């Protein structure tokens, strides 16, 4: 037992020495972006520009840095890679919301730090704002919406909050659309519908003009075709019978026994 304890103690001392004398760059290299040591969210607005500066802390040799936009690698100039590296994100748009930029240590990709863009903008609405439908048909008014922060959505008709009828109206909402479905459209559904988005920044509306026209009376094609066929066959039979009668008269005129005697 004493021998086993001695071996265990020696092994413990050896591991402790190994840990203490590990190269510092393998154990303590830290990355920062704009002075921050942890992943963070950067608030910005459309049209603005931001600079992200990544640096290595506690390094004992030159370190190569790599930048990524989402999963795609960012091209860097040769002088913008060692120990400190920066990227400039310009002309920021609403589509950049949620995009992340990650700085990684070249020799060890597990050492990294990320920045996510939080692009703040008022509601943006779009859609087919003019539709004409027949009475009795179904129609969908699709209002595409983008907003950050998320907006509260409502439908209005002729400037008044739409009174939803369970069997007649249906509303579906996703992160990018607000849809109003009307089943078996009636004349009373004719009017202007407004898709309204209200956020903490401002309120935006988009008008959809719905015109309900009279239902067209469609004449079934099958009876018409059948009637035409009957008429055609009747004419054919009539012409055939008349031709036979004409032929019989002609044959009688040519009969020699019918000549008058002197």
């Amino acid at each position: 037992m004493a021998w086993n304890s001695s071996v265990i103690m020696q092994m413990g001392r050896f591991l402790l020495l190994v840990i203490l004398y590990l190269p510092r760059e393998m154990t303590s290299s830290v990355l920062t972006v704009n002075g921050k040591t942890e992943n963070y969210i950067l608030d910005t607005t459309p049209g603005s520009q931001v600079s992200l500066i990544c640096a290595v802390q506690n390094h004992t040799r030159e370190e190569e840095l790599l930048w990524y936009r989402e999963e795609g690698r960012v091209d860097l100039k040769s002088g913008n890679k060692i120990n400190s590296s920066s990227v400039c994100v310009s002309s920021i748009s609403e589509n950049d919301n949620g995009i992340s930029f990650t700085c990684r240590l070249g020799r060890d990709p597990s050492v990294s730090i990320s920045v996510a863009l939080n692009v703040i903008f008022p509601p943006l609405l779009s859609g087919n704002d003019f539709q004409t439908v027949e009475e009795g048909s179904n129609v969908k008014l699709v209002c595409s919406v983008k907003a950050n922060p998320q907006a509260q959505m409502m439908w209005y008709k002729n400037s008044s909050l739409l009174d939803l009828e369970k069997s007649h109206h249906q509303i579906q909402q996703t992160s990018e659309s607000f849809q109003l479905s009307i089943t078996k459209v009636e004349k009373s559904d004719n009017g202007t519908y407004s898709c309204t988005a209200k956020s903490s920044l401002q309120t935006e509306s988009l008008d959809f003009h719905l015109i309900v026209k009279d239902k067209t009376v469609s004449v079934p094609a099958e009876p018409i075709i059948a009637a035409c066929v009957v008429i055609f066959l009747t004419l054919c039979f009539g012409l055939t019978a008349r031709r036979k009668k004409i032929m019989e008269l002609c044959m009688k005129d040519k009969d020699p026994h019918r000549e008058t005697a002197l």
Side-chain angles (χ1 to χ4, degrees):
M1 289 293 293
W3 183 82
N4 288 339
S5 298
S6 176
V7 170
I8 292 173
M9 289 180 66
Q10 290 180 4
M11 291 180 63
R13 289 171 183 169
F14 175 76
L15 292 174
L16 180 60
L17 290 173
V18 169
I19 293 173
L20 290 175
Y21 286 96
L22 279 173
R24 288 183 60 82
E25 65 267 22
M26 293 182 63
T27 58
S28 59
S29 293
V30 177
L31 297 182
T32 64
V33 171
N34 292 358
K36 299 182 182 296
T37 58
E38 296 182 353
N39 299 340
Y40 71 100
I41 297 174
L42 178 61
D43 293 339
T44 185
T45 56
S48 62
Q49 175 177 301
V50 297
S51 294
L52 304 176
I53 303 174
C54 180
V56 186
Q57 305 295 328
N58 303 329
H59 64 91
T60 58
R61 66 178 186 181
E62 290 188 341
E63 297 283 6
E64 181 185 21
L65 300 176
L66 306 175
W67 274 104
Y68 291 83
R69 176 189 170 99
E70 296 292 285
E71 299 301 323
R73 187 167 169 177
V74 178
D75 292 331
L76 300 173
K77 294 182 179 180
S78 58
N80 188 28
K81 295 182 179 180
I82 305 301
N83 296 337
S84 179
S85 178
S86 63
V87 294
C88 181
V89 187
S90 59
S91 301
I92 293 175
S93 70
E94 295 82 3
N95 296 327
D96 293 319
N97 185 46
I99 296 295
S100 64
F101 289 84
T102 302
C103 179
R104 293 176 180 167
L105 200 62
R107 64 175 173 81
D108 186 3
S110 66
V111 179
S112 65
I113 183 170
S114 298
V115 180
L117 299 183
N118 182 38
V119 185
I120 300 172
F121 58 95
L124 300 174
L125 306 178
S126 63
N128 183 10
D129 58 357
F130 188 89
Q131 292 192 55
T132 301
V133 296
E134 287 187 359
E135 189 177 6
S137 61
N138 300 332
V139 67
K140 292 181 180 180
L141 305 180
V142 182
C143 179
S144 299
V145 56
K146 295 178 67 175
N148 185 34
Q150 188 173 359
Q152 180 183 2
M153 304 299 298
M154 292 172 288
W155 279 105
Y156 287 80
K157 180 185 177 184
N158 298 330
S159 301
S160 298
L161 187 63
L162 179 62
D163 185 15
L164 298 176
E165 299 177 21
K166 186 175 181 180
S167 61
H168 193 52
H169 302 103
Q170 285 186 341
I171 288 180
Q172 294 179 330
Q173 183 173 4
T174 67
S175 60
E176 296 184 350
S177 69
F178 189 51
Q179 176 178 296
L180 172 64
S181 300
I182 306 177
T183 305
K184 295 182 179 179
V185 174
E186 303 170 355
K187 281 288 187 178
S188 58
D189 293 316
N190 193 79
T192 299
Y193 294 78
S194 300
C195 170
T196 301
K198 183 179 181 181
S199 77
S200 58
L201 299 178
Q202 66 185 58
T203 300
E204 292 289 341
S205 292
L206 179 65
D207 290 340
F208 291 78
H209 304 285
L210 180 63
I211 298 177
V212 182
K213 63 181 182 179
D214 294 332
K215 187 175 182 179
T216 57
V217 180
S218 58
V219 180
E222 291 80 0
I224 295 177
I225 295 174
C228 291
V229 171
V230 171
I231 293 173
F232 176 75
L233 293 176
T234 302
L235 290 174
C236 290
F237 288 139
L239 290 174
T240 302
R242 187 174 181 80
R243 183 173 178 273
K244 289 181 178 180
K245 187 174 182 180
I246 292 173
M247 291 296 293
E248 289 176 357
L249 291 175
C250 291
M251 291 297 293
K252 289 180 179 179
D253 291 339
K254 292 181 179 181
D255 190 350
H257 297 291
R258 296 187 59 191
E259 295 181 358
T260 304
L262 296 176

